[in-house]
Structure formats: structure tokens, C-alpha cells
Amino acid sequence: MPRNQAFSEPEYSAEYSADYSVSLPSDPDHGVGRNHEVSVRNSGSCLCLPRFMRLTFAPESLENLYQTYFRRQRYETLLVLVVFAALFDCYIIIMCAVVYTDDKLPSVLVASVGLIAHILIFVLCRFGLLPDRISRKFVPYTLWILIAGQIFCYLGLNFAHFHEASDTVGWQAFFVFSFFITLPLRLTPIVLISSVSCGIHTLVLGVTIAQQQQDSINGIALVRQLISNISMYLCAITVGIMSYYMADRKHRKAFLEARQSLEVKLNLEEQSQQQERLLLSILPKHIADEMLKDMKRDQKQKELQQFNTMYMYRHENVSILFADIVGFTQLSSSCSAQELVKLLNELFARFDKLAAKYHQLRIKILGDCYYCICGLPDYREDHAVCSILMGLAMVEAISYVREKTKTDVDMRVGVHTGTVLGGVLGQKRWQYDVWSTDVTVANKMEAGGIPGRVHISQSTYECLKAEFEVEPGEGETRNEYLREKGIKTYLVLVPKPQLTKNGINGVKLSLTSSHGNSPLLINTKEQNGSINTTCTTPDEGEELDTRVVNPSFPNPRRRLRLRDLAERVIDAQQNEQELHKLLNEALLERESVQALKGKYTHRLSMRFLNPEMETRFSVEKEKQSGAAFTCSCVVLFFTAIIEILIDPILIANYVTFVIGEVLLLILTLCSLAAIFPRVFPKKLVAFSTWIDRTRWARNTWAMSAIFILTMADIVDMLSCLQIYAASSQNMTRVPSLHSEGCTENPVYYSYISVLALIATIMLVQVSHMVKITLMLMITGATGVVDIYAWSHIFDEYDKARFKEYVSSLVPSKYTMTSMIFVMMMSFYYFARHVEKLARTLFLWKIDVHNQKEKVYEMRRWNEALVTNMLPEHVARHFLGSKKRDEELYSQSYDEIGVMFASIPNFSDFYTEESINNGGIECLRFLNEIISDFDALLDEAQFRCITKIKTIGSTYMAASGVTPDANMNGYNIKKEDMSDKDRWQHLADLADFALAMKVTLMNINYQSFNNFMLRIGLNKGGVLAGVIGARKPHYDIWGNTVNVASRMESTGVMGNIQVVEDTYLILKEYGFRFVRRGHIYVKGKGELLTFFLKGREKQGSFINSSSVTLPHQVVDNS
């Protein structure tokens, strides 16, 4: 599985550059995940945009998926266009009904039919009553045809005998712009249908007017008006293209964030699964749940605890199985250490499969001893039967090993039924274990058993209910403990029908050997710190479902089924199309959730109910604000062109254009400075950044731009009013319809207000409340001028145009004001929709951020738990990858230190009386002792020491097995180090042993107890490794470990015993010793040993609890 890049927000620093790539993140370091790079290139099918604005994703399949997503997003805005068209129909009906005449009936009928059609389309689309293919492909074009037909019908029926070049131009420009912001089509089709609509509209007007006014036509004036129309259309199309581009950028960003969200969710689930696998490989589920719950508790609550947390539970009526490999010494002498570990790895992996098959919970592996329990944590009535079947299967499995290896190995199995206390002790290297008198009995049942047989106690026999035939076991004759306790034992007779060649019930064991056809271990003998991994390739046995529900990550309602996705995405790594399919599912799931419900926002203002969330949204940086202000400049530019074409001699048109454009350019440059910080001075960049992040400043900036546009229009209208007043007083000319000037074409100034509304709707990072305020300002100012200041101008215009028919029409000053008001309401509806979308995208972005935080948090929990079960460098190997059961992790060390430290008199302290809560309080005290020992490992001096495990009340640790630059680790070659530097870790291990004695002495002082440590130390080479990837168990093997264990078991309480080789090294570090003499060690014969007493230097650890033996001789050499 590939390593992952660090998490990062998708950066769009090249917001206006055309070529950038986004690397979608996964969990960093050793987390799981996937890394797919998505490029956004400056090429695309839309030739309507400049090259630097053409964006497309690579690969092409991703771009196609994005286009599908984009059309779905715009599909909701299609309903906005339907509302626009319905409002247009209502406007026509109202205008005809106010001053109704019979010749207006066709217009009312057409508008009514159009309104009904639009309502029908709205209902069908809103509730998904149309097939998806029809609604996606045909509805947009149908709606375009309906709107175009409505405009032409209005043009033909309402102005049948009074056509002018300005007729319905405002509505045409309004709907052209609306096509760009609402239609769920690519940009090219929208530009084409808009151009066709405008072209036909201009052509129809020009031809119609030329035919109707053949005798009195003013060709120059008509051309200027048509060019003004075209300018208005060009303005609407230009701003529309910019709006489409801005929406495309925003949706591409949201699309990438959705893709990131999917990967984050998959990573989260996969990490959760890894956590479960690693936890449940060593800990039962109920213990793991308790640990996760405890890890999430507040640290202050933990500090208030009187005792360290202990995860311990009492379980009754369980069967305990101990199994030991007989002849293991002979087997180990016939193969190398690496081959031995490899064999144990395969054998115990099969035992784990058998344990799952027979409902056993593997407790621990101790060298060549395997023990498990049935009936824990969930009670089973057949726990004894399952344990017997497990034992028989293990015996059969070892017989297969005996046959293949040609060695005299066998299994000795003992089973006892009773009560256990199960849990973990200490704060580091958690391993599940069980304690009780019945566990001791089960251990003695194995020790007093017979190779190749399953030895059971009387209590187990009573639970079998005669399901197996047995014979007397006579275990008391082979084990003194069984004889003292008077325990009657039995041997199970093997049921012949269950015997198969490959094992009980067909569980097959695959053996590999370095002399066979299997892959060899690679370079297994190396210097300290060299890592070796080997994976054999036998056929997998049946895979058992070990998945459980993660208590820390519930599956929410209406969310993706993450486990299914996590499993499916394995194939998606090689199949990009499958990943895109998963992404499409994620997008559909996201779109199906209504993000902005009442519980999130106010219904009217749409502000978040959570003030903190609203503040975060208000400071959200929007890098498209510069483009929005650019639109204002474009609108003012086309406004000036229209005004100059209508009245070229009006000086105010030129003055307002120059002043307004300069002011708008200043606003635009200040907005762009934050986007291109390298181009502009630092102070300007800082000022621009402050505007972007300050809501009131941002609103003021936007209001200033629209105010400039509005004032430019109002000033020009008032300047025109002065000319009209002067001409009326002097009677120098009589206004004529076909003469040139602003007074003869007043409707164009109302159309210019439509362009100002369009500029307002283009503002970004401005709330809909601010937009409606600005649009009300535009509508109000224009309406006041039209109705009051320009009242005479419009009256003269109506008289000159409509003549005697003027009494049956609504005056133009009211129709223009009503038109602007209807467009304002339409744009306000769209502004609410845009803000809803922006807030929804913001919530999705927050959700992605929270998902990433969960990933980080899960990784921290994961690391904390895993490093408490496996050494950190071993955990890095296993975390983030899926291992086969037969995969072996091994690491060879030449020079390490091993320590065993036991509390022999703890067994006298342990009782299962009711006053001790059945033994739990005794184990709580042991937990405090082991936790204090674990706390010593956090000190800098002991950083090179690794806790291996605890066995009952015995504490096992090793030094020099962690890669450390200051020790004999990866960065320093052993030959470049002096002997003293090479063995510094052994001296630290000796100091650790002395510190343990002092710690226990302090505990004794505080609790009025007299516990004593018996410690054995040794140095030499070992093989460290992990047995089983499904249930990883880290341990170390070798003669060094065996001797260290014998040094502890043959030692004396209160003393640290070492052999001569260790003594020769440690005395160079200033440690004091006394010579014990030669003692007999099983398997080693007579060995000269020494007791480590302390350090020579003042202030070192004082061994005040040592037991002085009569034959001790102080060694002064």
C-alpha cells in the first residue's frame, strides 16, 4: 500500500492562473489511505473563454464525472429560471389587466398559457416526476424555447403597431444573463443559444421597424439604437460568461473537496478497521472498548484518580487450555533461530485459526506454550467441549509437524474449568492475561499431562456431559501440585471419525522449510537494527470473519456505508473508473442531505444559528472578489457605450464614465491585491487581505462599487433632465420621436439599471441582505427619477409613440419601474439561492475539515494503543498494511540486554477471598506496581529499554532493541563505537533494575508490605520478531533470553543475578558486585554468577533490601 502525503487543504493559489494540480491527501506518515493526483489544465472544450480560463480535469473520466456533478448542481438553479419566467408572465398579465382592452386578450392568453407551462415544469422538476434523461437533456432547451417564445409574443402582441428598437430589450438582456447563471449546460451551448436569441431579436426588431416606418425612418438613429441593443446583449453575455466561470471555479473546488471528503472517510474507516484488528488481535472487544472510552476522557479527570486505571473483569464457568510443545529443545537444535521463529509463526497462526473455529480466545504465547480460554467474554454452554476439540486439533496439527520435520515433537494439552480474572496490567505493552487459582490448576494440568493427549480435570469432565470418552489421567502421579490439591484428572480418548490427514475438521497446516521449495528468509543475520520480512506463499485456509463494529465510529443515518466503500476501494487503486464511481456515490449522498435546515440557519436572514459558525463563514476568504469588481467595470464600460450611442453630445456621459471607471478600477485593484500578493505592494496586499477578512469592510467595498454605478446612471439622467428643461423653456425645439437624444429614448436608462442589478448579483462574499439593499437602492433611485423627475419626458415619449392609443396603455414610467422591480425580486430570489449554496458548500468544507480532524485523532489513538502493544518500530511495520497470517517480521540483534524481574512473594499475597473482591483488589495492587515500573521507562535515561511483556508478576524488558542514533542503532556503525558505547544500553538496563528495586521499596513503605524483587540479567544475541500478522505477538528468542530467565528463577529475592560475561562488562561502568559462585542451571550446567549490588558513585541507587548470603565473597577486582 503506498505511503501517503500530508494532509493539506486544496490550495487554489493559482485562482486566476490556468494550470495547477491538487494532490488529494491521505493520512500522513504511517497511516493508511490513497493518494490520487488531480490536474486542472488550461485546455478544454469551451472555446468561448480565453485560453487561461479554460479549465478541465485530467483524466478525462474525472472531467466527465465533474460535468455530471456540475449539471446536477445547476439543475436546482434551473428551477430559479422557471421562477424568473413565471414572474415575467405575471408581469405581462398584470400590465395588461391594469388598463384592460379587448386587443390585449391575446397577450393575456399567451402569458397565462406560459405561466401554466412554467408552473407545470416547476412541479415536474421539483418533485422528480420526469425521467432523469429527459429532465437533464430536454428541459433546459424546452425552457429556453418557451422563454424566447414568450418574449417574441410579448413583442409582437403588445407593440403591434408601435414598434421601436428598444422594445423588450431589457427583458432579453435579463434572460440572456439568467441563462448563464441557471442553465445546467456547458458554456458553449449557453453562449450559442444566447447569441441566437439576441441575434434573432435584433434582426426581427430591425426588419419590423424598417417595414413599418419606411417613409419616416431615421436610419442613423435606428442603427445607433440597434448597436445599443447589441451592446447591452454583449454586456449581459460578457458578465454571464464571467459568472459561469466563477461558478465553475467554485464548483470545481467543491468537487475536489468532495473527493477529498470521500478519501478522508475511507481513510477513517480503514484506520478504524486497522485499530480493531490490532486491538482485537491482543485484547478482547470489551477491554478494547473500555480502553478507547478511557482514552477519550479528559486528562484532568484521569489525574483525579487515586489509582491507575485497571481493566479487569471476573468471568465464571470458562474452560482454560494450556498447550506446550514437547521436544521443543530438540526441534530448536535442528534448525536455525530464524527457521524456528518461522515455524512457530506458521504453527501458531494455524492455532489462531483453530481458536477462532472453536470459539477460543487466545490469551498469550509464552515461548513454545500456547494458552487460550473458551467462554470469555461471552458465555457458552459448550465451552468445555470446544476446548477439548481445540486440544485434539492442536495435537493433530503437531503430529503433522512431527511427520514433516522428522523430529520427536508433540503437544501436551491440559484443560481445566473454573473462574478467571481477565484483563491487562500496567500502562505499557498491554497484553491480555488471566489470573486465578484455576489458571494455575490448568497450567499444572498441562505440566502433569502426557504428550499427544488432552489432560482434563474433574470440573471439566463434569461439563462434558459424556460427549467424549475418557480414561483415568492419574495426573497426581506426575505433578505434585495436583496431588496436594487432590484434583482428579482424565485423559480424553480421540474420537476416530474426526481424524483426517491434514488435521481436525480439515484445518490444514502449511509448513515451509529453508530446505524445501518455499522462499528463504532474506539476510536474517545482520547487525542490530536491520529489519527482515518474509512472506511464505502457501494456500490460504478459510478466512474467518473477525470484523466487529467499531465503538468509536458509529454508522450515522443516511451516510455512506464506509465499510463497503473501504472494501471496494482496494480494487479502485488500480481502477480509476471504480474510484470515480465511488466519488459519484459520495456526491449523490452529499446532495441528498439538506445541509441548510432550520436547525442550522435563520429562515429569513439565513445566518447560522451558531455565532461561531457565522463568524467563520464571514471571514472565509473568497478569491473571486476581484472578478466580481471587474464585472462592475465591464458594466460601467457598456453603460457608457449605450449612453454615448443614445446621446453622443451629452458631456455628463463622458465625465461619469471616466470618474466612475477610475474609482471602480481602484476598488478592483485593491480587491485583486490579496489574490496576487507578489504583483502589488505589501501595504496594499495587507489592506486587501483585511478587507477580505472583515465583513463590514467587505460590504462597504461592495456597496461602494454599486453606488458608483448607480450614481453614474442617476447623474446622467439628471443631466438629460436639465437639457429637456432648457429646451422646453426656450422652445428651441420640439421633442420628436425620431430625433436624437436621451429625451427621445428614456427607456434605455431604465435598461442601464438592469445592468446595475446584474453587477450587484455578481458580488461575492456579500450576503443576500446586502444585495437586496443595494438592489432596492438601484430600483428606488431609478423609480423616483422615472416617475417624478422624468415624468414629463416619459409622458412626451408616450404621446409621440402611442399617439391616441396612449390612454389604453400603462404609462412607460410605470412599466419601466415595474420591470426593474420584477427583475429585482427575481435576482433577490437567485441571491438567496446562491447564498444557500455558498453556506452549504461551507458546511461541506467544515465537514471535510472535521473528518480530517477525526482521522488525526483516530491516528493518535491508534498510535497510542498500538505502541502500547508493540514496540514503535515494529508498529510502524504493521500499521498501514495488511499482513498475511504467514508473513513473518523478524529482526536479528547481536548485542542486547535482557532482564527478568519477578515478585516471588506476590503469590503469598494473592487470595481470592471476598474481602479482596475475589482477587481483584490484589491484582489492583499488582497493577500499581507494574504501572510504576512502566513509568520509569518514560525517563530519558531509559529510552533505550523496551518492555517485552509481563508474565503473571514477572516483568520482562530488553535494552538495545530500539533504533536510537545515540545507541547501537541505525545511524552509527558498530565497528565505529567503543566497547563502552556499545554496551551503554546494558548499563542503563542495570540502572533500570536498580530503579525498580527502589520503586518497589517505596511502594512497600507506603503500603506496609514486604514485596521483594528477584532479577536476572544477561547479554548477548537474540532474534526479535512477531508471530502471526492476524494476531501479532512480539517477543524475543534465543539462548540469551533462556539464560536471563534462569538467572531470575535461580536467583535470590532482593538481588540481581548475572553471569560472568555480563559481570565483566558492567563492572567497567562502576557497578559493584559480590560473587555468588557456581550454581546449577538447567540445560547449561554449572555457571559462575554474581550479584549486582549497586554503583560505586555516591548518589546512585542504594540496594537496601539485599539479602546477604553467608558464602558471598566481595569481588574487588
Side-chain angles (χ1 to χ4, degrees), residues 312 363-366 371 423-435 868-869 899-903 926-927 929-931 933-934 937 946-957 996 1033-1035:
M312 191 69 60
I363 303 300
K364 196 175 285 188
I365 297 173
L366 301 174
Y371 72 102
V424 297
L425 295 181
Q427 305 303 311
K428 293 183 182 293
R429 206 69 67 241
W430 282 325
Q431 288 185 345
Y432 188 76
D433 209 343
V434 290
W435 293 264
N868 260 337
M869 296 185 293
M899 181 203 75
F900 283 85
S902 69
I903 308 175
L926 179 61
N927 181 63
I929 296 174
I930 295 176
S931 296
F933 291 165
D934 290 341
L937 295 174
T946 300
K947 177 183 177 182
I948 303 299
K949 59 186 172 184
T950 56
I951 310 163
S953 61
T954 300
Y955 194 98
M956 179 182 178
M996 291 175 69
H1033 171 81
Y1034 180 79
D1035 211 340

Side-chain angles (χ1 to χ4, degrees), residues 122-165:
F122 184 90
V123 172
L124 292 175
C125 294
R126 179 66 180 82
F127 297 101
L129 302 178
L130 289 175
D132 185 70
R133 182 180 180 85
I134 294 177
S135 62
R136 304 287 184 191
K137 292 190 175 183
F138 297 105
V139 170
Y141 294 102
T142 303
L143 191 58
W144 164 62
I145 293 172
L146 277 175
I147 291 173
Q150 286 288 102
I151 292 176
F152 284 112
C153 287
Y154 181 52
L155 174 65
L157 296 175
N158 280 43
F159 308 99
H161 307 290
F162 318 102
H163 286 296
E164 281 295 324

Side-chain angles (χ1 to χ4, degrees), residues 61 138 193 269 281 639 675 685 711 727 743 866 1116:
S61 57
F138 297 105
I193 64 176
E269 176 63 13
S281 67
T639 297
I675 303 173
V685 172
M711 286 301 102
S727 64
T743 57
V866 171
N1116 297 320

Side-chain angles (χ1 to χ4, degrees), residues 510-717:
S510 173
L511 289 176
T512 58
S513 169
S514 59
H515 305 292
N517 297 325
S518 63
L520 297 176
L521 286 168
I522 302 174
N523 195 17
T524 53
K525 187 64 175 177
E526 294 188 9
Q527 302 300 331
N528 290 6
S530 46
I531 298 175
N532 313 296
T533 59
T534 298
C535 180
T536 60
T537 57
D539 294 334
E540 280 285 351
E542 59 177 314
E543 291 297 327
L544 299 167
D545 187 6
T546 58
R547 296 178 299 177
V548 297
V549 177
N550 184 3
S552 66
F553 191 71
N555 186 21
R557 183 170 61 93
R558 296 188 63 130
R559 297 286 181 178
L560 292 173
R561 290 175 299 199
L562 299 179
R563 186 178 302 281
D564 295 339
L565 288 178
E567 293 172 353
R568 290 169 57 192
V569 85
I570 297 172
D571 297 330
Q573 293 178 30
Q574 306 297 329
N575 188 347
E576 195 72 17
Q577 184 178 0
E578 178 66 15
L579 181 60
H580 295 165
K581 186 176 180 181
L582 298 180
L583 176 57
N584 189 45
E585 292 177 9
L587 293 170
L588 288 171
E589 180 68 22
R590 166 188 277 191
E591 294 161 18
S592 68
V593 178
Q594 295 296 325
L596 290 179
K597 292 183 179 179
K599 63 179 181 179
Y600 290 111
T601 60
H602 291 282
R603 187 175 298 275
L604 178 63
S605 67
M606 299 184 69
R607 292 171 62 92
F608 289 114
L609 296 175
N610 186 346
E612 181 183 354
M613 186 73 73
E614 182 64 26
T615 301
R616 291 178 64 182
F617 177 73
S618 66
V619 299
E620 184 77 7
K621 188 174 179 61
E622 178 59 72
K623 294 186 177 181
Q624 295 179 341
S625 56
F629 285 108
T630 304
C631 291
S632 298
C633 296
V634 171
V635 168
L636 184 58
F637 173 75
F638 281 102
T639 297
I641 292 178
I642 295 169
E643 290 178 342
I644 291 170
L645 287 170
I646 297 301
D647 196 342
I649 64 173
L650 188 61
I651 303 300
N653 292 338
Y654 302 95
V655 175
T656 55
F657 169 68
V658 173
I659 296 176
E661 201 69 39
V662 169
L663 293 176
L664 287 176
L665 284 174
I666 292 174
L667 296 179
T668 303
L669 290 176
C670 289
S671 180
L672 290 173
I675 303 173
F676 303 106
R678 296 182 181 180
V679 179
F680 297 93
K682 292 183 179 179
K683 291 184 178 180
L684 182 59
V685 172
F687 178 66
S688 177
T689 304
W690 173 76
I691 292 175
D692 278 345
R693 295 180 178 176
T694 309
R695 172 175 282 185
W696 69 266
R698 191 168 59 238
N699 291 341
T700 303
W701 219 246
M703 294 173 73
S704 300
I706 302 304
F707 182 78
I708 291 170
L709 280 176
T710 306
M711 286 301 102
D713 189 19
I714 297 300
V715 168
D716 290 339
M717 293 176 74

Side-chain angles (χ1 to χ4, degrees), residues 433-453:
D433 209 343
V434 290
W435 293 264
S436 72
T437 303
D438 289 320
V439 174
T440 304
V441 173
N443 191 4
K444 300 304 180 181
M445 289 297 300
E446 177 272 314
I450 297 176
R453 302 295 298 273

Side-chain angles (χ1 to χ4, degrees), residues 225-332:
Q225 287 180 316
L226 293 177
I227 295 176
S228 297
N229 296 351
I230 294 172
S231 299
M232 182 164 285
Y233 301 151
L234 285 176
C235 181
I237 291 174
T238 302
V239 177
I241 289 175
M242 295 180 70
S243 69
Y244 188 96
Y245 170 75
M246 292 166 63
D248 183 55
R249 298 291 296 227
K250 180 177 290 188
H251 282 292
R252 285 184 186 274
K253 181 178 179 180
F255 179 77
L256 289 180
E257 287 173 351
R259 195 175 193 270
Q260 181 186 26
S261 176
L262 171 65
E263 296 219 351
V264 167
K265 287 179 180 179
L266 293 177
N267 289 341
L268 179 62
E269 176 63 13
E270 193 162 346
Q271 284 204 356
S272 175
Q273 289 180 357
Q274 283 194 346
Q275 178 182 352
E276 292 168 9
R277 286 194 298 269
L278 285 166
L279 270 177
L280 300 177
S281 67
I282 299 175
L283 306 174
K285 183 179 182 299
H286 66 286
I287 297 287
D289 292 352
E290 191 68 25
M291 285 182 171
L292 281 173
K293 182 179 178 181
D294 188 61
M295 288 184 69
K296 298 174 187 178
R297 286 172 52 203
D298 187 13
Q299 188 63 31
K300 293 181 180 179
Q301 293 180 352
K302 296 180 182 179
E303 292 174 356
L304 295 176
Q305 293 181 171
Q306 184 178 2
F307 299 103
N308 289 296
T309 303
M310 183 179 72
Y311 309 99
M312 191 69 60
Y313 299 90
R314 182 181 182 87
H315 304 277
E316 299 179 350
N317 294 322
V318 297
S319 291
I320 310 134
L321 180 148
F322 274 80
D324 190 51
I325 301 177
V326 180
F328 182 75
T329 304
Q330 178 189 359
L331 180 64
S332 61

Side-chain angles (χ1 to χ4, degrees), residues 706-847:
I706 302 304
F707 182 78
I708 291 170
L709 280 176
T710 306
M711 286 301 102
D713 189 19
I714 297 300
V715 168
D716 290 339
M717 293 176 74
L718 295 177
S719 300
C720 182
L721 179 64
Q722 292 178 353
I723 295 175
Y724 173 80
S727 64
S728 298
Q729 291 175 2
N730 299 330
M731 299 299 291
T732 54
R733 60 171 180 162
V734 178
S736 173
L737 180 64
H738 300 295
S739 61
E740 300 176 10
C742 57
T743 57
E744 287 75 31
N745 298 286
V747 293
Y748 279 100
Y749 288 86
S750 297
Y751 295 159
I752 290 172
S753 298
V754 176
L755 297 182
L757 292 177
I758 291 175
T760 305
I761 210 67
M762 288 296 295
L763 294 174
V764 295
Q765 275 190 302
V766 176
S767 73
H768 69 100
M769 300 298 289
V770 175
K771 290 182 180 179
I772 189 59
T773 303
L774 294 173
M775 289 190 290
L776 281 172
M777 179 189 70
I778 296 170
T779 305
T782 307
V784 168
V785 172
D786 285 350
I787 295 174
Y788 296 102
W790 274 29
S791 177
H792 296 295
I793 294 178
F794 272 108
D795 290 344
E796 294 292 341
Y797 171 78
D798 288 343
K799 290 177 182 178
R801 178 177 180 182
F802 300 114
K803 298 180 176 61
E804 69 280 356
Y805 195 71
V806 68
S807 60
S808 59
L809 290 174
V810 177
S812 296
K813 57 186 176 185
Y814 296 119
T815 58
M816 289 296 103
T817 303
S818 301
M819 177 193 72
I820 297 173
F821 180 79
V822 171
M823 292 181 181
M824 180 200 73
M825 295 305 298
S826 301
F827 281 143
Y828 174 65
Y829 180 76
F830 177 73
R832 286 185 63 89
H833 172 77
V834 168
E835 183 161 347
K836 177 185 175 182
L837 177 62
R839 289 179 180 270
T840 302
L841 294 178
F842 173 75
L843 288 179
W844 289 347
K845 184 176 181 179
I846 293 298
D847 181 62

